[in-house]
Amino acid sequence: MRLHERLNRIARKCGSLPSAEVPGFIAACAPEACGLTLEELERAGSFDERMAVLEAYAAEFLAAALVEKRERDAPEMVLEVRIRSRFLGFHPGIAELRRTFVRYLDLPLPILLIGDRGTGKGALVRAAVRALDDGELFTVPLAGVPDSLAESELFGHRKGAFTGADRDRRGILRTASRKESIVYLDDVAECSASLQAKLLTALEEGVVRPVGSDRDYSIGSGLKRPFRVLSSCHPASLGKLRADLRDRLSALPLWVPPLADRGADILLLAARAAELMSRSLGSGRKRFSAKAWEALVRFEWPGNVRQLFNVVSRAMLNCHDGDAVIGHGTVNAMFREERLLSPTDEPAQPGSVAVPAALDEWPTLAEVEDRYIARVLEATGGRVTSAARILGIHRSTLRRRRREENA
């Protein structure tokens, strides 16, 4: 029996949900979106408890959806349900984050989201704006942006203020002050001390001065400001924020947990990533094997949700067209790539690849692949089937590679 059949029974048991909305409900709730069966999970042994939690969450999700339809006088619950359908996760930390975020959105105070890169801070903000159905989101990415560009983006500029300024520009803060909206300062701690000082002045005094202008323009201040200010920051970058700006932006601080701490949410998000990739490729759904699911849960995910989506997408692309199952060999191959893409300062482990000092000493990609294939074949005693499974490729592909190498 597939999990979506059980979820359909939950839908009928909890109340009437329009049939057109059931597929979206299932996709939001179930890692089975890739076709994983309950029997496969049960054979894995360690997923029984997670499946019980998933079913409890599914019932809760549906009950909240029904509340949204029946109790329009409860806007906070409605908003949380809408955000939940766009910012997935049923880990207690994520559930509490959503509930608190919804409460904070009703308050005219700035919110600071603190979390590692890739944890979904921007996704939470975008989910909230789409759920509110009013106002507009202005996102200002501040990491690695030159001061001149960031200042023009935030405060605007006068025509002729610098090369390429062929017209006046209002700037995001002035534009947002004309209507109810949200200004999201992404990676705010990464901007320079000079820009931080100007941003603090704008928020405290409620005025901005465009680049090249000698006039101040009001954007409103405090409770009279029509737009909300949300910002995000990496925990390690908090010290880069000047204290007065940090106090101004963090009236309502929220911490976003890393993916590695979210347990079964990894399954839910992997399923959503696979579903979105299937739509993008126009291919049939692919499901993960039970061992592949377990490998996903055990990986450390230093890049968090963004890294998970990348790994799942590449795993699907590396599957043969006729394969309906993504095996743990394919997933593990993606993990090896991720570790190569994420160098650390830790001492090299036995068998790791030494990094050449001179550029002309670097091996080609083909050479690295040939060496790795040779090591896997040596470890498996030359057994092609076992080596192909570890490498995540088809036996015929491995045989062809060996013929080319020996040619």
Side-chain angles (χ1 to χ4, degrees):
M1 177 193 306
R2 293 190 177 276
L3 180 58
H4 70 269
E5 295 174 3
R6 186 170 293 190
L7 292 177
N8 268 315
R9 287 209 301 273
I10 294 174
R12 292 192 296 271
K13 183 177 179 181
C14 291
S16 58
L17 187 69
S19 57
E21 297 187 16
V22 171
F25 158 70
I26 293 172
C29 289
E32 192 272 341
C34 292
L36 186 67
T37 63
L38 282 174
E39 286 77 6
E40 287 171 322
L41 285 175
E42 287 163 359
R43 282 199 298 271
S46 61
F47 287 97
D48 295 342
E49 191 171 320
R50 291 196 184 97
M51 295 311 301
V53 173
L54 176 62
E55 289 189 358
Y57 167 72
E60 178 197 351
F61 187 103
L62 180 59
L66 295 173
V67 168
E68 177 187 358
K69 295 178 179 303
R70 295 172 179 170
E71 300 181 13
R72 297 296 180 181
D73 58 340
E76 189 172 290
M77 173 65 78
V78 171
L79 183 58
E80 184 183 347
V81 169
R82 289 177 177 173
I83 292 177
R84 186 188 305 182
S85 66
R86 296 177 172 94
F87 187 73
L88 298 180
F90 54 93
H91 181 270
I94 292 296
E96 181 59 28
L97 173 65
R98 280 193 302 258
R99 284 191 292 268
T100 307
F101 190 66
V102 167
R103 291 198 303 271
Y104 283 1
L105 283 175
D106 284 337
L107 304 174
L109 296 171
I111 300 172
L112 176 63
L113 296 170
I114 306 167
D116 295 337
R117 291 181 178 86
T119 49
K121 301 182 293 294
L124 177 59
V125 173
R126 291 189 295 273
V129 172
R130 288 196 294 266
L132 286 169
D133 288 334
D134 59 1
E136 188 175 353
L137 173 65
F138 297 90
T139 299
V140 188
L142 293 169
V145 178
D147 269 14
S148 56
L149 180 58
E151 192 172 346
S152 171
E153 190 77 8
L154 283 167
F155 311 131
H157 62 251
R158 293 296 303 275
K159 180 179 179 180
F162 49 84
T163 303
D166 55 355
R167 59 185 177 85
D168 288 350
R169 181 185 176 94
R170 292 183 61 87
I172 283 177
L173 295 181
R174 285 181 63 199
T175 302
S177 68
R178 302 175 66 180
K179 55 185 176 181
E180 290 189 4
S181 54
I182 290 177
V183 174
Y184 175 49
L185 307 173
D186 191 18
D187 282 328
V188 66
E190 301 301 327
C191 62
S192 69
S194 172
L195 186 58
Q196 288 187 35
K198 294 176 181 178
L199 181 58
L200 177 65
T201 299
L203 295 178
E204 286 193 336
E205 299 182 8
V207 294
V208 297
R209 177 170 294 187
V211 178
S213 175
D214 57 2
R215 176 185 169 187
D216 291 336
Y217 294 86
S218 173
I219 59 171
S221 59
L223 300 178
K224 297 180 181 180
R225 185 184 299 126
F227 62 89
R228 297 289 310 282
V229 177
L230 276 62
S231 52
S232 69
C233 179
H234 191 281
S237 301
L238 273 172
K240 297 180 182 179
L241 272 176
R242 51 183 291 164
D244 43 7
L245 179 60
R246 185 185 64 237
D247 294 341
R248 171 62 61 179
L249 295 175
S250 62
L252 302 171
L254 285 173
W255 279 262
V256 184
L259 179 62
D261 293 346
R262 292 174 57 179
D265 277 3
I266 295 171
L267 307 181
L268 183 67
L269 293 167
R272 173 55 62 88
E275 182 185 18
L276 294 176
M277 192 63 181
S278 294
R279 293 178 187 173
S280 177
L281 296 173
S283 61
R285 285 183 175 179
K286 296 182 184 294
R287 57 187 176 86
F288 293 93
S289 69
K291 287 186 177 180
W293 278 124
E294 191 141 11
L296 289 169
V297 173
R298 289 180 175 177
F299 189 64
E300 56 271 21
W301 299 114
N304 295 289
V305 179
R306 187 181 296 122
Q307 185 182 30
L308 172 66
F309 271 64
N310 290 340
V311 165
V312 171
S313 298
R314 291 207 309 276
M316 293 187 67
L317 288 172
N318 278 273
C319 275
H320 296 282
D321 292 339
D323 292 345
V325 178
I326 302 174
H328 77 285
T330 302
V331 172
N332 284 334
M334 300 305 103
F335 291 160
R336 287 190 289 271
E337 288 183 4
E338 287 300 312
R339 292 188 177 101
L340 288 174
L341 291 169
S342 306
T344 66
D345 296 328
E346 297 175 0
Q349 298 297 319
S352 62
V353 178
V355 179
L359 291 178
D360 57 2
E361 295 178 3
W362 283 80
T364 65
L365 179 59
E367 289 172 339
V368 173
E369 289 180 346
D370 289 342
R371 293 176 192 173
Y372 181 68
I373 289 173
R375 288 181 60 189
V376 172
L377 283 167
E378 181 182 355
T380 59
R383 291 189 293 274
V384 173
T385 301
S386 299
R389 185 168 60 250
I390 294 172
L391 293 167
I393 60 178
H394 198 272
R395 295 190 304 275
S396 60
T397 303
L398 179 55
R399 291 193 181 98
R400 176 176 54 78
R401 289 292 299 268
R402 294 182 71 189
R403 286 197 299 271
E404 292 174 352
E405 184 180 351
N406 295 327

